[in-house]
Amino acid sequence: MNDLPNAAVRALAELFPSGDLLTDAADCWAYGYDNSKRHAAPQAVVFAREHAQIEALVALCNEYAIPLIARGRGTGTTGATVPTHGGIVLSLERMDRILRVDPDNRLLIAEPGATNLAVQQAAGAHGFFWPPDPTSSAVCTLGGNLAYNSAGPRAVKYGTPRENTLGLRVVTGAGDSLHTGVFTTKGVVGYDLTRLIIGSEGTLAIITEATLKLTPLPEARRTLRAVYTDMRAAAHAVAAIMAQPVVPCALEFIDGAAIDMVRKHSTAELPQGAGAMLMIEVDGARAGLDEAAEAVAAAARVSGCVSVELARSKAEVEALWATRKALSPALRTIAPKKINEDVVVPVSRIPELIDGLRELGARHDITIVNFGHAGNGNIHVNLLVEPDDPRQAAAAEACLGDVFALVLRLDGTLSGEHGIGLVKRDYVALELGDSALALMHAIKRQFDPRGILNPDKALPPPRLDAAHNAR
Amino acid sequence: MNDLPNAAVRALAELFPSGDLLTDAADCWAYGYDNSKRHAAPQAVVFAREHAQIEALVALCNEYAIPLIARGRGTGTTGATVPTHGGIVLSLERMDRILRVDPDNRLLIAEPGATNLAVQQAAGAHGFFWPPDPTSSAVCTLGGNLAYNSAGPRAVKYGTPRENTLGLRVVTGAGDSLHTGVFTTKGVVGYDLTRLIIGSEGTLAIITEATLKLTPLPEARRTLRAVYTDMRAAAHAVAAIMAQPVVPCALEFIDGAAIDMVRKHSTAELPQGAGAMLMIEVDGARAGLDEAAEAVAAAARVSGCVSVELARSKAEVEALWATRKALSPALRTIAPKKINEDVVVPVSRIPELIDGLRELGARHDITIVNFGHAGNGNIHVNLLVEPDDPRQAAAAEACLGDVFALVLRLDGTLSGEHGIGLVKRDYVALELGDSALALMHAIKRQFDPRGILNPDKALPPPRLDAAHNAR
């Protein structure tokens, strides 16, 4: 990687006080990682505190053709913030103010470095919450949530960032500052740039402020655990639950292999004959909530259902969640470098997906453990492999290709909330057609004509027109 | 307007059987209108029945540089489908199949010519509905709903088409066929072209199929009518209702001037001292619904509240809605060519908006009647003028400019659901900055490089760079 031009380094130093600028390779090293465990070294790291700094930084990067990679706290799992082309990593973690909480208008304005938790706390003080709730909520930042369109369990009832964001303030790759969207829950003036930028993984623009749509906190919640003889029965229960009117605020599942893991590696208690499990939560006003929980429980009692338990106390809620919570540590113990996909299929196709995954696991000799957000059909498929072993890495790669082909055959999509980044980029063309990809690249060029923003992420490299036309 | 080239007419005749092609000026005339009452004559009208025809039509229009304007049933109010540059009007009303209803996956796939009502009926047979519910539901088409991002009363609880559409099949202005989005409620592969196309008023692509997200029909509904001494009191009640946890599925208001209209021109009964009125509906499971209605009623009882009535029977529901329903006919009697805007402000700013509108009405000597979707802050501002009278037309134009400036000063937006089309196009630059507009034009060029799709609608004409830079 070439060094940054001296003039650029001098300009950076003028723009960012010494504590907010790292240029020493050792200092920069940690900012080359995300939770994908991929790494590439940036040539500089800057910590912005103001919109105007970012505007100047983008101008600088355009002038010197320096790649610019925005990041929050690095909890992403797809390598989207790994600076594979070098350049400057823009950390937004110090630009973390909650600028306004406006309960009368059900909105909150915050900077991208605010953690999801900080947003929830600021909203919660007024009786509201912001629905997106990634597992990493305590540390992940709002900017990252928006960049990936990250969701979590509550999305089944409350939607993803795209359904819960009113507007953005951004600096485009071309260096233009603009506001997108509105401060209201309706607005149809101009094209919807807000949703276009959400989920674009920092390739179109850098978000410097977001206006979030808040939802009133429910008065109460009921937690249920349903156990099944096997995954097919659990999958049928998911479809039955989603086909009745009460929408749960969480509808999580773990499969038999996952239950085995938990049994071996934790003390969480599980009923005999558990081949799959659903965790279900229902929230809302106190009045009517027991009836809602009962309606969901009734739908959950399909053939193959072993038990449906309702937690009666906070301790019981925790006991019911214990299995689910024991899972991630158990998986990390067994396979520290496991490959975790987050494919999505229509809810009614979950049984076919689970059956297909079992076959693929057998064919490629890989243990596959599945859990995830069943209500959205969003399944976290975990390949328990050691990718540093070349044989296992090759098997995993072949298996992943088969997994994605299966998902697309079932009308699914490759990622529900983790995004594409680097690690899934080369599979995107399996899902998106040539025309759609060409259009996305064309849109990218309008936002970022010099291609400085997070180059080569989210989309596979554009095909040459000649090659395209020859097909 | 020039005639279409003979070769183009021959190609059209090959593509569309005689019953699906109009070229006679008299036959075409009616397709030059929409509900804005604006008119321009198209040179041909075609009725598509298949995606492939539209693909071929777009290719033809590109070849001969013919403007192509897609339309449904012409219920739009902004002139968005009026063929101001001539060309071909593509009516989608005969491409109206419901292709799939999939209750297990809570989705419905339909063609753009299906009416909103047909979509509701097809979904309703399985216990579901599609939330967008424009007043014109019985006749307006799905394609139009998506083109404008049209909503209606239910949006306050259930959102607009952007929150209720999973994916699209389209033909872009360049002639490329593509699928956008997914068949699932989560998906983050590639940029969000679905929402970009929704609300773009036929300027980017022609929608040939839409995959809609369905919502379970609520078991029951409660209807309330709250009467206030004046509009300020009603506006405070709206803010109070939106600040508590129960979200109504309708929160409509009519102001004092509107109540006067109804009093004079209908037999609907109104309590004495009614200076403003709210119609409120709450829906959900039967269990807990009375408590929910009571919570909303309690919030509605702010200072200045004259009465809050709950309908106990279907007849009572109809009686409560009678005033609201008498309003539109009354307004049409008084001012057949009234100007109807659909501005939006944050809910807490409604009192300022209403006060400001009263001042503007007095200043410009125009009766202004307001009603609309108060829960979204989406106010239908009706200027009762006779636009064929030059003095009144000039006053209306001046007044409109002031109305929009007021709305923007209150952090609002020019349109909540009617769109921009032709009639509001020249005001868009008041709301969107130069950079955002330039970017939208650049995006338009990527979808539609020859500019054949609905030219000069939705966005004001691009500024010349020279003029722009000179500012």
Side-chain angles (χ1 to χ4, degrees):
Chain A
M1 210 68 74
N2 293 324
D3 286 344
L4 296 180
N6 286 336
V9 176
R10 278 195 303 274
L12 279 179
E14 247 170 66
L15 210 46
F16 296 91
S18 63
D20 290 348
L21 169 65
L22 308 177
T23 49
D24 182 88
D27 294 339
C28 292
W29 189 260
Y31 292 86
Y33 276 112
D34 73 2
N35 196 28
S36 70
K37 320 284 198 295
R38 306 278 182 118
H39 185 266
Q43 291 143 302
V45 176
V46 298
F47 300 85
R49 294 175 189 267
E50 299 289 347
H51 178 94
Q53 283 178 308
I54 296 176
E55 211 175 50
L57 178 65
V58 171
L60 180 77
C61 289
N62 271 301
E63 186 180 348
Y64 294 98
I66 302 170
L68 180 61
I69 297 90
R71 65 172 257 153
R73 299 287 192 102
T75 57
T77 61
T78 60
T81 62
V82 175
T84 43
H85 294 247
I88 299 172
V89 165
L90 164 62
S91 169
L92 293 155
E93 63 195 293
R94 296 180 192 170
M95 192 164 159
D96 63 351
R97 285 170 294 188
I98 307 284
L99 300 171
R100 188 169 130 202
V101 188
D102 183 349
D104 283 353
N105 295 306
R106 296 189 168 191
L107 64 84
L108 180 153
I109 304 178
E111 291 181 333
T115 61
N116 183 289
L117 181 65
V119 168
Q120 306 300 353
Q121 287 172 335
H126 297 268
F128 288 85
F129 71 108
W130 190 54
D133 60 339
T135 313
S136 52
S137 170
V139 279
C140 66
T141 63
L142 172 59
N145 297 171
L146 297 171
Y148 298 108
N149 196 37
S150 312
R154 284 196 296 233
V156 64
K157 179 167 180 179
Y158 295 106
T160 72
R162 283 192 180 126
E163 287 83 32
N164 291 285
T165 306
L166 301 176
L168 302 172
R169 188 180 186 203
V170 304
V171 179
T172 66
D176 290 320
S177 289
L178 47 105
H179 285 91
T180 72
V182 287
F183 295 99
T184 56
T185 47
K186 278 186 181 172
V188 292
V189 176
Y191 300 150
D192 187 348
L193 302 183
T194 306
R195 271 79 165 209
L196 187 63
I197 292 169
I198 294 176
S200 68
E201 302 187 357
T203 63
L204 299 179
I206 294 169
I207 297 168
T208 63
E209 245 178 70
T211 303
L212 309 178
K213 180 184 167 196
L214 299 180
T215 299
L217 279 167
E219 272 177 20
R221 183 181 300 166
R222 296 284 179 273
T223 302
L224 298 149
R225 184 174 75 173
V227 175
Y228 298 87
T229 50
D230 57 36
M231 192 56 222
R232 282 192 76 87
H236 284 133
V238 171
I241 292 166
M242 291 305 288
Q244 56 81 53
V246 178
V247 184
C249 66
L251 179 46
E252 302 288 295
F253 87 99
I254 75 175
D255 75 356
I259 291 177
D260 287 347
M261 297 287 144
V262 173
R263 231 188 263 284
K264 276 185 216 151
H265 297 270
S266 87
T267 58
E269 277 179 43
L270 280 167
Q272 289 305 314
M277 193 182 91
L278 298 180
M279 293 298 307
I280 313 164
E281 292 199 331
V282 179
D283 67 4
R286 258 182 214 94
L289 193 57
D290 288 327
E291 290 85 347
E294 187 37 54
V296 169
R301 287 189 198 98
V302 297
S303 163
C305 176
V306 176
S307 65
V308 179
E309 294 162 88
L310 173 71
R312 302 273 162 198
S313 65
K314 208 176 161 193
E316 283 185 32
V317 169
E318 275 165 26
L320 290 193
W321 276 105
T323 313
R324 171 67 184 79
K325 293 207 167 144
L327 181 58
S328 286
L331 288 175
R332 269 199 295 274
T333 306
I334 299 161
K337 293 190 177 175
K338 71 184 170 71
I339 295 171
N340 175 12
E341 294 301 328
D342 81 314
V343 301
V344 192
V345 295
V347 167
S348 72
R349 316 299 294 268
I350 295 176
E352 289 164 81
L353 176 70
I354 298 296
D355 286 352
L357 289 171
R358 193 186 310 118
E359 277 171 41
L360 291 179
R363 188 188 311 163
H364 295 282
D365 193 23
I366 292 175
T367 302
I368 300 182
V369 175
N370 304 300
F371 63 95
H373 315 305
N376 295 108
N378 186 191
I379 313 299
H380 292 297
V381 177
N382 291 266
L383 277 55
L384 303 191
V385 292
E386 172 45 73
D388 296 341
D389 170 340
R391 198 196 54 79
Q392 287 194 42
E397 201 185 321
C399 184
L400 267 190
D402 288 347
V403 168
F404 291 144
L406 170 65
V407 165
L408 294 175
R409 221 162 42 236
L410 298 173
D411 277 346
T413 179
L414 301 186
S415 175
E417 55 188 19
H418 292 176
I420 300 304
L422 193 56
V423 304
K424 265 182 278 199
R425 198 192 55 187
D426 297 335
Y427 297 102
V428 166
L430 298 175
E431 178 167 339
L432 302 180
D434 289 349
S435 301
L437 272 175
L439 199 48
M440 290 176 190
H441 278 294
I443 290 170
K444 156 85 173 168
R445 286 192 297 271
Q446 309 317 306
F447 277 84
D448 182 23
R450 296 205 63 176
I452 58 161
L453 287 188
N454 211 5
D456 285 341
K457 301 292 174 54
L459 300 177
R463 287 191 184 166
L464 294 179
D465 275 344
H468 179 172
N469 292 336
R471 268 152 210 266
Chain B
M1 211 69 74
N2 293 326
D3 286 343
L4 295 179
N6 285 335
V9 175
R10 279 196 302 274
L12 279 180
E14 247 171 65
L15 209 48
F16 295 93
S18 65
D20 290 348
L21 170 65
L22 308 177
T23 50
D24 183 88
D27 295 339
C28 290
W29 188 259
Y31 292 86
Y33 276 113
D34 73 1
N35 195 26
S36 70
K37 318 286 197 296
R38 305 278 181 119
H39 185 268
Q43 290 143 302
V45 177
V46 299
F47 299 86
R49 293 176 190 268
E50 299 289 347
H51 177 95
Q53 282 178 308
I54 296 175
E55 212 176 50
L57 178 65
V58 170
L60 180 77
C61 289
N62 271 302
E63 186 180 348
Y64 294 98
I66 301 170
L68 179 61
I69 297 90
R71 65 173 258 152
R73 300 287 192 102
T75 57
T77 61
T78 59
T81 62
V82 175
T84 43
H85 294 246
I88 299 172
V89 164
L90 164 62
S91 170
L92 293 155
E93 62 196 295
R94 296 179 192 171
M95 191 161 161
D96 63 351
R97 286 170 292 191
I98 306 285
L99 299 171
R100 189 168 131 203
V101 188
D102 183 349
D104 283 353
N105 295 307
R106 296 190 168 191
L107 64 84
L108 180 153
I109 304 179
E111 291 181 332
T115 60
N116 183 289
L117 180 66
V119 168
Q120 305 301 352
Q121 287 171 335
H126 298 268
F128 287 86
F129 70 108
W130 190 54
D133 60 338
T135 313
S136 53
S137 170
V139 279
C140 67
T141 63
L142 172 59
N145 297 170
L146 296 170
Y148 298 107
N149 196 39
S150 311
R154 284 195 297 233
V156 64
K157 178 167 179 179
Y158 295 106
T160 72
R162 282 190 181 128
E163 287 83 31
N164 289 286
T165 306
L166 302 175
L168 302 172
R169 188 180 184 205
V170 303
V171 180
T172 66
D176 290 321
S177 289
L178 47 105
H179 285 92
T180 72
V182 287
F183 296 99
T184 55
T185 47
K186 276 185 182 174
V188 292
V189 176
Y191 300 151
D192 186 349
L193 302 184
T194 305
R195 270 81 165 209
L196 187 62
I197 292 169
I198 294 176
S200 68
E201 303 188 355
T203 62
L204 299 179
I206 293 169
I207 297 169
T208 64
E209 247 178 67
T211 303
L212 308 179
K213 180 184 167 196
L214 299 181
T215 299
L217 279 167
E219 272 176 19
R221 183 181 300 163
R222 296 285 179 273
T223 302
L224 298 149
R225 185 173 75 173
V227 175
Y228 298 87
T229 50
D230 57 36
M231 192 55 223
R232 283 193 77 86
H236 284 131
V238 170
I241 291 166
M242 292 304 289
Q244 55 81 52
V246 178
V247 184
C249 66
L251 180 45
E252 303 288 295
F253 88 99
I254 73 175
D255 75 356
I259 291 176
D260 286 346
M261 297 288 144
V262 174
R263 228 189 265 283
K264 276 187 216 152
H265 297 270
S266 87
T267 59
E269 279 179 41
L270 281 166
Q272 290 303 314
M277 195 182 91
L278 297 180
M279 293 299 307
I280 312 165
E281 292 199 329
V282 178
D283 66 5
R286 255 180 217 95
L289 194 57
D290 288 328
E291 289 86 347
E294 187 36 54
V296 169
R301 286 190 199 98
V302 297
S303 163
C305 176
V306 175
S307 65
V308 179
E309 294 163 87
L310 172 70
R312 301 276 162 195
S313 66
K314 208 176 162 194
E316 283 187 31
V317 168
E318 276 164 25
L320 289 193
W321 276 105
T323 313
R324 171 68 185 80
K325 292 205 169 147
L327 181 59
S328 287
L331 287 174
R332 270 199 293 276
T333 306
I334 299 161
K337 295 191 175 174
K338 70 185 172 71
I339 295 171
N340 176 11
E341 294 301 329
D342 81 313
V343 300
V344 193
V345 296
V347 167
S348 72
R349 316 299 292 272
I350 297 176
E352 289 163 82
L353 176 69
I354 298 295
D355 286 352
L357 289 171
R358 193 187 311 118
E359 277 172 42
L360 291 178
R363 188 189 308 163
H364 295 282
D365 192 22
I366 292 175
T367 302
I368 300 181
V369 175
N370 303 299
F371 63 95
H373 314 305
N376 295 108
N378 186 190
I379 313 299
H380 294 297
V381 176
N382 291 265
L383 276 57
L384 303 190
V385 292
E386 172 45 72
D388 296 341
D389 171 340
R391 198 196 53 81
Q392 287 195 40
E397 201 186 319
C399 184
L400 268 188
D402 287 347
V403 168
F404 291 144
L406 170 66
V407 164
L408 295 174
R409 221 161 43 234
L410 298 174
D411 277 348
T413 179
L414 302 186
S415 176
E417 55 189 19
H418 292 177
I420 300 304
L422 193 56
V423 304
K424 263 181 280 196
R425 199 192 53 186
D426 297 335
Y427 297 103
V428 166
L430 297 176
E431 178 167 341
L432 303 179
D434 289 348
S435 301
L437 272 175
L439 199 48
M440 290 177 190
H441 278 293
I443 290 170
K444 157 85 174 167
R445 286 192 297 272
Q446 310 316 306
F447 277 85
D448 182 22
R450 295 206 62 176
I452 59 161
L453 288 188
N454 211 6
D456 284 342
K457 301 291 174 52
L459 301 177
R463 286 191 185 169
L464 295 177
D465 276 344
H468 179 172
N469 291 336
R471 266 149 212 271

